[in-house]
């Protein structure tokens, strides 16, 4: 799998989400940010809303659960029609069991790390995951500034994946734009969430294409990861 662009609808028009997802037919996934006002200080939507969106979206949904007790709630998002479900390791009681439950329900299992959470303790979990999400802002809100301090962790995560020979996708989320996507791709990320950069653009689908080109160019010129 090459470079993938997954626009976040967090900064889209919540009163017209069906129309908003149809403005980005060139995207690989639509990223839906589920927030519960406990794990993060913001509140969005739950599985009923996600299920309605899955029915009208031209591309599959990538759920990012910023919620407490994902062990209990995550499988419902596979049932709601999401192709990929990401839970936060900081919130999960049993991440191995949860990843296996998501997979057995038919979804791609993904685990997220906040900016200050190290990747090394989770090295042995990589074969259980279809994707690892490294947050490049503190989760909770769109439109925040990209945290360059996460770049070394992206490089280390990519090196761990290569050492284990796994096909795990490496997603970055937060402050990704034409200004920052190249450094993420050079560091080894291959799945890019972009919220305000896409939905703040006059032509969101053209922005998806521009982000893809920038990431592909940067990844192509990246030096091999040791
Ligand atoms: C933040 C969310 C992100 C957010 C990204 O907690 O997880 O997905 O929508 O928005 P931008 O791209 O504006 O930082
Ligand atoms: Zn997100």
């Amino acid at each position: 799998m090459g470079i993938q662009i997954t626009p976040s609808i967090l900064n889209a028009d919540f009163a017209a989400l069906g129309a908003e997802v149809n403005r980005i037919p060139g995207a690989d996934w639509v990223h839906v940010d589920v927030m519960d006002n406990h794990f993060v200080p913001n509140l969005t939507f739950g599985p009923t809303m996600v299920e309605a969106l899955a029915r009208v979206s031209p591309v599959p949904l990538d759920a990012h659960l910023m919620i407490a007790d994902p062990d209990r709630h995550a499988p419902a998002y596979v049932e709601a029609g999401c192709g990929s479900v990401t839970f936060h390791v900081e919130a999960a009681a049993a991440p191995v069991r949860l990843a296996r439950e998501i997979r057995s329900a038919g979804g791609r299992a993904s685990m997220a790390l906040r900016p200050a959470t190290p990747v090394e303790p989770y090295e042995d979990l990589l074969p259980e995951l279809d994707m690892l999400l490294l947050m490049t802002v503190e989760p909770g809100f769109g439109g925040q500034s990209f945290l360059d301090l996460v770049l070394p962790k992206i490089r280390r995560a990519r090196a761990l994946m290569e050492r284990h020979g796994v096909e795990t996708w490496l997603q970055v989320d937060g402050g990704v734009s034409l200004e920052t996507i190249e450094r993420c791709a050079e560091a080894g990320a291959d799945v890019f969430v972009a919220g305000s950069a896409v939905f703040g653009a006059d032509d969101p689908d053209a922005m998806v294409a521009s982000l893809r080109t920038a990431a592909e160019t940067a990844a192509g010129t990246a030096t091999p990861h040791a």
Side-chain angles (χ1 to χ4, degrees):
M1 209 65 200
I3 297 296
Q4 298 182 75
I5 307 295
T6 66
S8 161
I9 55 165
L10 188 60
N11 279 41
D13 180 357
F14 271 27
L17 285 180
E20 292 285 71
V21 294
N22 279 289
R23 294 174 75 198
I24 47 167
D28 296 283
W29 301 79
V30 173
H31 182 86
V32 291
D33 288 301
V34 177
M35 304 185 183
D36 68 350
N37 234 352
H38 292 277
F39 183 70
V40 289
N42 197 0
L43 183 65
T44 55
F45 38 70
T48 308
M49 181 97 153
V50 169
E51 187 176 7
L53 201 55
R55 279 199 292 269
V56 300
S57 177
V59 294
L61 302 191
D62 165 40
H64 176 196
L65 307 182
M66 286 160 277
I67 60 173
D69 202 2
D71 303 71
R72 181 173 164 206
H73 300 292
Y77 289 87
V78 184
E79 287 158 27
C82 297
S84 175
V85 175
T86 300
F87 61 88
H88 267 267
V89 70
E90 302 90 351
V96 174
R97 185 174 63 207
L98 181 52
R100 290 182 179 185
E101 275 183 28
I102 292 168
R103 279 180 164 179
S104 68
R108 294 181 59 86
S110 166
M111 191 174 84
L113 275 56
R114 299 180 75 132
T117 303
V119 66
E120 286 77 9
Y122 306 107
E123 175 176 356
D124 294 332
L125 264 69
L126 291 175
E128 302 286 338
L129 302 173
D130 296 301
M131 184 168 79
L132 181 72
L133 165 53
L134 299 183
M135 291 302 301
T136 43
V137 297
E138 288 290 357
F141 302 93
Q144 301 182 76
S145 296
F146 181 84
L147 292 173
D148 278 285
L149 63 86
V150 182
L151 288 169
K153 182 163 67 174
I154 299 171
R155 281 191 203 95
R156 294 197 303 272
R158 176 55 70 193
L160 289 176
M161 288 170 180
E162 289 181 358
R163 193 178 311 153
H164 284 261
V166 292
E167 299 286 313
T168 320
W169 297 349
L170 183 49
Q171 185 179 52
V172 287
D173 180 10
V176 174
S177 68
L178 284 176
E179 298 296 309
T180 56
I181 195 166
E182 290 168 348
R183 20 192 145 136
C184 296
E186 281 163 6
D190 54 7
V191 185
F192 302 87
V193 178
S196 46
V198 169
F199 282 99
D202 291 337
D203 184 341
D205 209 42
M207 179 54 73
V208 168
S210 299
L211 289 166
R212 188 188 303 284
T213 302
E216 284 175 350
T217 305
T221 58
T223 49
H225 307 283

